[in-house]
Amino acid sequence: MTATQAVQKPELTRKDFVSDAEVRWCPGCGDFSILAQVQKCMPKIGVPRENIVFISGIGCSSRFPYYMDTYGFHSIHGRAMTLASGLKASRPELSVWVITGDGDGLSIGGNHFLHTLRRNMDINIIMFNNRIYGLTKGQYSPTSEQGKRTKSSPMGSISYPINPVRAAIASEATWVGRSVDIDTKHLSSMIMAMASHSGASFLEVYQDCKIFNAGAFSHLTDKTVRDDRLLYLEPDQPMLFGKEKQYAIDIKTHRPMILDMERSRMDSKDLMKYDASDPTLAYMISNLDYPKFPVPVGVFVDIERASYSDLLEGITNEAKEKAEGPDDLRTLLAGNNTWSIE
Amino acid sequence: MSSRVDVQNSAEEKLQTADRISQDLDRVTIRFAGDSGDGMQLTGMRFTESAAQIGNDLATFPDYPAEIRAPAGTLPGVSGFQIQFSTNEVYTPGDEPDVLVAMNPAALKSNLGDLPHGGTIMVNEDAFTANYLRLAGYDENPLDDGSLNEWRLIRVPITRLTLAAVEEVGLKKSLAERCKNFFTLGLVFFLYQRDTDQTKKWIDNKFGFNLDVARANKLALQAGYNIADTLEVFQTLYRIPKAELSPGLYRGINGNLAVSLGLVAAARKAGLDLFYGSYPITPASEILHELSGMLSDGIKTFQAEDEIAAIGATIGAAFGGALAVTGTSGPGIALKSEAMGLATMVELPLVIINVQRGGPSTGLPTKTEQADLLQVLYGRNGESPIPVLAATTPADCFNMTYEASRLALKYMTPVVLLTDGYLANGTEPWRIPNEDELPEINIKFAKSEDYQDRRFAPYERDENLSRPWAIPGTPGLEHRVGGLEKDLLMGRVSYDPDNHQQMVETRAAKIAGMAKDFPPLEVNGPDNADLLILGWGGTTGAITSAGEQLRAKGYSVANCTLRYLNPLPNDLCEVLERYKQVLIPELNLGQLKLLIRAHCLIDPIGLNKVTGKPIKIQEVVDKAITVVERPESVDEQETDKGAQP
Ligand code: SF4
């Protein structure tokens, strides 16, 4: 190549993000769909491929980085967010993604989940929630419903489950979303949205484990029922659902309720609009659950707040301004209390 | 012998300094002891600084309780600071004090056992009230009942004299009383003919925000000095002429600060950013504090949510190309062990500092021990070899931290550096090195250009068996690493049995091969002798002094210290075989002994102490003379030449 030739980088496509590793999930696993959407989105997030890093813990979902042709790190159980935090703190220019599961992220890694979010560490976390331990062959997980019969809970689980979105909101996350593995359009819009958020972003994806918890979400996500049982949150829009968008969620006296638009003769203009910058509202809406209500998906929280990287840069600059004397090693080593021996 | 200072008449008793006797001493050990709120650490540190400025060699050791403020006047609340300063080289803070400064009955009671008969006790007589005597468990006032007749007792009404001295400032009584540590320091300064100016400057700096407190402290210091000048008991003054230290610029340094600076130096020399991820834990937190205070573009700290997150973040930073370091103590290592295995598996450079403390479990957080050696060597699942280094003195923590960093980066491996509570908190003078005195650290990140015509192979190895370090941001070298076993070249997940065998053996061979980088063992004393005293880590000072003392008396003894514990130095067994017997003093139940026995097939004698206290020179000497023949020249009455003031 001569110097006069401009280096024209070809546009990357999905294929450029497919690694040569053989994908080893069970046929029909929801993970395939999430992988495909992420691979499709990556060329569009505006970050050179070499600056993208995927980090995971342990579990079925955590094999993910092997299948992405980016920098990747398959770490140990529950700890992906810690590696991601250290990497991002030291290399703020990188786009750092964490792939985790309900067991990895909320059980063994629960502490890191809380702290990574509250620090507003500028990383993107996708949690594949299949409400079961897949890789260890089917024990109940922290998101398994109470009463779930598994090998480790033959009488039915007596533990109350945790809701990942609610946990994220309570952890002060500045971007929280939820999507569904098979709803590819929605899923990719969520991935794009979280990629552009500055600060920690957390996306829960309902993911079907064909082998140990098949159909855990099909009562909500099947094409035939989806319209009535999922509530697609849209920013600054009323919370409508139903095939004809004939129902709405409204909040009266601090309680969400379902309005039948026709019967109540409401105009959608007069309905309460969803505001993702209000975590209190987000928390209330995240409580909606089937069968009393449709289950919300979409962006729950989207708040602007200085990220860890921004703040670190700020105090570093401040420290530099305050620093006295030259910045050479000997000055650093000497400190300010020395004496000489002739 | 007891001397009493009278508050009223003290001023009139002024002696002419010229009338006094001035005596030169080789070395003196002073222990300051008081309530943890009495400011004894500060007093000790100020005294240390003055000794350093004069050019004495010195070593110090603070001994403080785990509780931040145990109830005032009680035995658990006693905090102590010991300094040995000398005109010769010193290796330890001294086995036992020559002078004990006791600010209250509890301080007297808990330290008296360490003071040899004939030693000097200086007490704050005012603190010997009925209540404090009771809290310390005294039925009678020991100052009056004759029980201290074997020592030279100096009673000074420190509280009252301090209050009188600072009265003009008009501080609240509780604040005014706090100045008594500076008053005490003034007394001791006079006894050893130290100048107060430096300390006054320090007070101005430290308390500049509160001019009244600064003034009161200076008045107290000067009053202590002046009053000592009036007292007959201070008729003999002592001079400890300066030591012959190599010329240069010096600062006082403790082990934790030395570790921090060693990391900064290594990062600078390597041209890397330093990333220190840690979780607060005694006695390692100070490293986090020191480095956090040095925040800059190239120095970042991360206070993680737990020990595991601390090392996880560090591994992330190492993946990103930083000199990545985590520091902790034994309980933290226990939590980090899975991640240490991960770092071994992915072969990324990492420095792991373990400032050891008394264990097991929470153990003795503020006390010292060397009982984590086997933990860091073997406390992980699978075949997980990690190099282990140990620092020998507070200042040596700088060298060994630098060395640990150099080795981690060169061999692409986690490296453990062992220090301990004794080294972490002990101080000594440290000559600040010039940048060009430090060994080079060359970093070669894998570059895109190197792989124009072939695929990047993450587990290709160089002559040291190190793999390439390709960091995110490098186009074309995108690759995946992880904790699963990987194939020996491309790093893809591999469950192949032969591949696993080969990878396990390769990882082991890489670490074993590092020994070629180590300097030959240094032995003090004869090449062949009846006994070799072999040590590692913080016991080195006592062992070195013991070796010198024994040889001075004609014993056939050599001594040697190990800085590299995994792999062990190549010449180790050959050196050990030259001696009839090997004695290994360590602050555990025989961990190095076990290693040496396995590695060299010899049977060393152990000297094992686990009291939470450093080993004493005398303990090593006593043990050694039970196993070697007494030379004819030794006169049993002969005593150490250190004089008693
Ligand atoms: S066990 Fe379940 S989650 Fe795991 S790969 Fe198979 S289907 Fe997917």
Side-chain angles (χ1 to χ4, degrees):
Chain A
M1 203 191 316
T2 64
T4 48
Q5 275 180 296
V7 185
Q8 191 78 55
K9 275 209 174 168
E11 289 274 313
L12 296 184
T13 66
R14 166 172 185 251
K15 276 214 190 96
D16 295 300
F17 287 88
V18 178
S19 81
D20 60 357
E22 180 196 346
V23 183
R24 296 222 193 127
W25 288 311
C26 310
C29 174
D31 292 0
F32 285 98
S33 161
I34 308 174
L35 175 64
Q37 294 324 307
V38 172
Q39 286 169 335
K40 266 188 211 155
C41 289
M42 284 304 113
K44 296 185 270 185
I45 63 169
V47 179
R49 187 175 66 162
E50 64 271 16
N51 280 358
I52 300 174
V53 185
F54 277 82
I55 302 182
S56 64
I58 294 293
C60 290
S61 59
S62 287
R63 297 298 172 94
F64 196 96
Y66 288 122
Y67 309 140
M68 294 292 300
D69 197 3
T70 62
Y71 283 92
F73 205 135
H74 178 215
S75 75
I76 43 178
H77 205 12
R79 316 303 172 198
M81 288 178 224
T82 70
L83 275 86
S85 297
L87 180 60
K88 185 70 191 183
S90 59
R91 297 282 308 275
E93 77 279 18
L94 299 177
S95 171
V96 181
W97 295 75
V98 165
I99 303 296
T100 184
D102 41 319
D104 187 67
L106 284 171
S107 197
I108 190 166
N111 195 28
H112 312 310
F113 171 90
L114 160 62
H115 293 282
T116 307
L117 293 179
R118 70 147 172 104
R119 284 191 193 107
N120 206 21
M121 213 26 114
D122 195 1
I123 60 181
N124 311 299
I125 303 161
I126 305 181
M127 178 180 285
F128 297 14
N129 180 12
N130 55 18
R131 308 189 83 175
I132 198 81
Y133 282 93
L135 195 64
T136 50
K137 302 199 163 82
Q139 300 80 9
Y140 64 99
S141 88
T143 56
S144 294
E145 61 279 15
Q146 209 186 20
K148 185 166 201 72
R149 287 177 198 276
T150 69
K151 282 180 213 152
S152 60
S153 57
M155 308 286 290
S157 155
I158 54 172
S159 293
Y160 299 102
I162 191 165
N163 176 319
V165 163
R166 286 216 290 280
I169 297 170
S171 304
E172 309 291 345
T174 55
W175 193 98
V176 181
R178 180 188 282 149
S179 192
V180 178
D181 54 1
I182 50 173
D183 189 347
T184 55
K185 237 179 87 192
H186 185 259
L187 179 56
S188 54
S189 72
M190 290 294 108
I191 295 166
M192 292 308 293
M194 73 193 293
S196 63
H197 176 73
S198 158
S201 57
F202 173 78
L203 178 66
E204 177 193 12
V205 183
Y206 285 167
Q207 174 248 323
D208 195 35
C209 169
K210 267 277 165 302
I211 306 298
F212 296 106
N213 204 13
F217 301 103
S218 37
H219 63 290
L220 305 173
T221 60
D222 267 0
K223 282 223 165 69
T224 51
V225 296
R226 195 188 282 178
D227 290 336
D228 290 332
R229 296 182 184 172
L230 290 181
L231 166 68
Y232 284 84
L233 297 173
E234 298 285 348
D236 306 315
Q237 295 297 320
M239 292 169 272
L240 303 175
F241 66 103
K243 200 162 219 81
E244 314 294 334
K245 299 283 181 218
Q246 69 273 42
Y247 303 113
I249 299 288
D250 208 358
I251 296 181
K252 293 269 148 68
T253 60
H254 311 295
R255 258 176 238 279
M257 52 187 283
I258 295 175
L259 291 180
D260 183 322
M261 301 288 286
E262 217 161 293
R263 286 226 303 259
S264 62
R265 304 227 178 106
M266 284 281 280
D267 188 306
S268 65
K269 286 205 305 277
D270 304 325
L271 285 169
M272 177 179 183
K273 299 195 173 67
Y274 190 71
D275 177 4
S277 69
D278 177 359
T280 312
L281 175 64
Y283 194 80
M284 204 180 283
I285 293 301
S286 69
N287 278 318
L288 303 185
D289 207 355
Y290 181 80
K292 259 182 98 179
F293 289 100
V295 171
V297 295
V299 181
F300 287 78
V301 175
D302 188 358
I303 301 173
E304 265 182 54
R305 186 183 294 160
S307 72
Y308 187 90
S309 303
D310 297 338
L311 296 168
L312 182 59
E313 195 188 324
I315 58 168
T316 307
N317 289 337
E318 202 181 315
K320 274 196 291 191
E321 272 162 34
K322 281 193 195 145
E324 292 158 14
D327 182 42
D328 65 299
L329 179 58
R330 197 168 155 84
T331 309
L332 277 176
L333 297 186
N336 44 22
N337 213 348
T338 56
W339 67 92
S340 284
I341 289 181
E342 308 293 315
Chain B
M1 183 177 94
S2 169
S3 322
R4 195 158 188 170
V5 177
D6 190 307
V7 184
Q8 270 77 37
N9 300 332
S10 57
E12 283 113 64
E13 286 173 26
K14 187 169 167 69
L15 292 165
Q16 291 305 308
T17 310
D19 300 342
R20 296 174 192 273
I21 307 158
S22 177
Q23 189 185 337
D24 278 8
L25 296 178
D26 272 358
R27 61 184 61 213
V28 173
T29 299
I30 305 178
R31 186 182 298 172
F32 298 92
D35 240 354
S36 40
D38 278 343
M40 289 298 98
Q41 302 299 330
L42 198 148
T43 310
M45 266 148 25
R46 290 305 102 215
F47 189 82
T48 302
E49 191 174 296
S50 85
Q53 302 275 3
I54 279 191
N56 290 137
D57 195 14
L58 60 88
T60 73
F61 184 62
D63 188 18
Y64 49 85
E67 291 73 23
I68 302 302
R69 290 281 156 91
T74 62
L75 294 170
V78 174
S79 161
F81 185 101
Q82 184 162 314
I83 169 170
Q84 174 170 221
F85 55 111
S86 171
T87 188
N88 300 315
E89 210 172 333
V90 295
Y91 305 110
T92 77
D95 276 5
E96 46 197 22
D98 304 307
V99 179
L100 169 65
V101 177
M103 299 301 281
N104 67 12
L108 176 66
K109 187 162 197 182
S110 56
N111 288 285
L112 190 60
D114 294 337
L115 190 70
H117 286 168
T120 300
I121 306 170
M122 190 191 292
V123 294
N124 176 12
E125 177 181 65
D126 293 337
F128 284 68
T129 60
N131 184 35
Y132 273 180
L133 287 165
R134 185 183 52 77
L135 283 170
Y138 278 118
D139 294 331
E140 298 284 333
N141 188 341
L143 305 184
D144 298 326
D145 69 1
S147 62
L148 300 177
N149 285 346
E150 302 287 343
W151 293 275
R152 178 168 174 248
L153 177 65
I154 305 176
R155 315 167 54 146
V156 186
I158 292 177
T159 310
R160 279 178 290 160
L161 290 172
T162 304
L163 288 176
V166 306
E167 201 183 353
E168 57 175 279
V169 184
L171 289 178
K172 269 207 323 236
K173 185 164 175 253
S174 61
L175 269 182
E177 241 184 71
R178 284 228 205 129
C179 300
K180 62 185 187 294
N181 61 338
F182 279 105
F183 181 92
T184 311
L185 186 62
L187 293 173
V188 183
F189 271 172
F190 182 76
L191 185 60
Y192 294 100
Q193 319 207 341
R194 307 277 139 147
D195 188 62
T196 55
D197 285 357
Q198 196 66 30
T199 304
K200 285 183 186 157
K201 266 190 223 148
W202 182 89
I203 292 172
D204 280 335
N205 259 330
K206 173 88 179 172
F207 300 103
F209 62 92
N210 189 332
L211 293 177
D212 282 351
V213 171
R215 202 171 132 227
N217 279 325
K218 285 189 286 184
L219 281 170
L221 177 72
Q222 195 57 49
Y225 192 92
N226 294 345
I227 283 166
D229 197 2
T230 65
L231 301 180
E232 208 163 341
V233 292
F234 288 113
Q235 196 159 23
T236 311
L237 304 180
Y238 302 96
R239 251 171 38 93
I240 292 85
K242 65 182 199 172
E244 277 187 29
L245 298 170
S246 51
L249 187 67
Y250 280 76
R251 74 182 287 182
I253 199 167
N254 70 23
N256 279 339
L257 176 59
V259 165
S260 313
L261 297 180
L263 295 174
V264 169
R268 280 284 172 116
K269 280 294 261 197
L272 298 179
D273 287 348
L274 174 64
F275 181 89
Y276 186 76
S278 188
Y279 183 74
I281 185 170
T282 304
S285 304
E286 197 188 348
I287 304 171
L288 177 62
H289 307 166
E290 291 291 350
L291 291 171
S292 298
M294 297 175 86
L295 173 72
S296 70
D297 284 332
I299 304 174
K300 285 182 181 137
T301 59
F302 179 68
Q303 182 177 320
E305 58 270 27
D306 58 33
E307 294 281 358
I308 300 173
I311 189 169
T314 306
I315 294 173
F319 187 60
L323 171 57
V325 186
T326 185
T328 186
S329 189
I333 293 287
L335 288 164
K336 291 180 197 295
S337 11
E338 187 193 15
M340 288 165 70
L342 176 67
T344 301
M345 195 66 159
V346 297
E347 300 184 50
L348 280 171
L350 208 68
V351 178
I352 301 153
I353 314 281
N354 178 0
V355 187
Q356 299 168 96
R357 66 190 218 186
S361 186
T362 312
L364 302 170
T366 59
K367 308 291 173 191
T368 196
E369 208 162 275
Q370 297 179 299
D372 297 349
L373 175 58
L374 296 180
Q375 179 194 28
V376 296
L377 275 171
Y378 301 122
R380 288 171 299 283
N381 60 308
E383 294 290 348
S384 173
I386 290 188
V388 178
L389 276 52
T392 57
T393 68
D396 189 44
C397 289
F398 176 86
N399 306 323
M400 294 315 285
T401 303
Y402 190 91
E403 176 70 346
S405 310
R406 186 185 73 83
L407 291 171
L409 295 164
K410 176 170 175 183
Y411 288 92
M412 292 291 284
T413 176
V415 174
V416 170
L417 174 70
L418 293 173
T419 75
D420 58 43
Y422 168 77
L423 297 176
N425 295 310
T427 56
E428 59 180 348
W430 176 59
R431 193 180 62 79
I432 298 152
N434 277 320
E435 199 164 336
D436 54 18
E437 290 173 60
L438 301 169
E440 289 305 320
I441 303 179
N442 297 314
I443 303 296
K444 278 183 285 173
F445 289 126
K447 293 199 186 68
S448 312
E449 305 89 87
D450 304 341
Y451 297 91
Q452 295 294 9
D453 43 10
R454 62 193 179 110
R455 286 200 62 179
F456 174 62
Y459 282 82
E460 196 175 45
R461 290 174 193 277
D462 68 8
E463 69 281 8
N464 297 315
L465 298 179
S466 300
R467 72 176 194 89
W469 196 5
I471 60 171
T474 318
L477 305 194
E478 291 85 358
H479 67 284
R480 275 65 59 194
V481 295
L484 286 170
E485 186 59 282
K486 48 201 52 69
D487 85 62
L488 53 88
L489 191 63
M490 298 311 291
R492 292 189 195 94
V493 175
S494 167
Y495 302 123
D496 179 78
D498 295 335
N499 178 75
H500 181 54
Q501 175 98 25
Q502 197 173 342
M503 285 298 269
V504 169
E505 286 174 359
T506 305
R507 286 187 288 263
K510 177 173 88 168
I511 304 307
M514 292 170 68
K516 68 179 187 296
D517 265 26
F518 303 166
L521 276 178
E522 265 177 56
V523 177
N524 297 338
D527 280 348
N528 294 283
D530 290 349
L531 182 69
L532 177 74
I533 311 176
L534 179 69
W536 67 277
T539 48
T540 299
I543 291 170
T544 309
S545 299
E548 283 183 0
Q549 288 183 16
L550 287 160
R551 284 192 293 281
K553 290 176 188 167
Y555 283 96
S556 170
V557 171
N559 60 277
C560 174
T561 194
L562 288 178
R563 287 186 164 83
Y564 301 89
L565 293 150
N566 190 43
L568 287 161
N570 286 333
D571 55 349
L572 174 64
C573 301
E574 183 251 309
V575 168
L576 299 189
E577 277 155 17
R578 299 204 303 255
Y579 298 88
K580 282 192 198 138
Q581 298 191 83
V582 175
L583 169 65
I584 302 183
E586 29 179 358
L587 302 180
N588 60 48
L589 293 183
Q591 301 194 4
L592 178 63
K593 193 174 92 165
L594 181 82
L595 289 180
I596 295 291
R597 200 183 270 174
H599 189 73
C600 299
L601 299 177
I602 64 161
D603 195 11
I605 304 155
L607 168 56
N608 304 101
K609 177 175 173 180
V610 279
T611 60
K613 300 215 174 219
I615 209 152
K616 292 181 177 178
I617 302 165
Q618 199 58 45
E619 289 166 337
V620 180
V621 169
D622 288 348
K623 181 73 183 182
I625 59 182
T626 64
V627 296
V628 283
E629 249 175 74
R630 182 148 61 91
E632 281 168 15
S633 57
V634 172
D635 170 4
E636 274 179 275
Q637 299 307 309
E638 192 185 311
T639 50
D640 186 26
K641 70 180 184 162
Q644 302 290 346

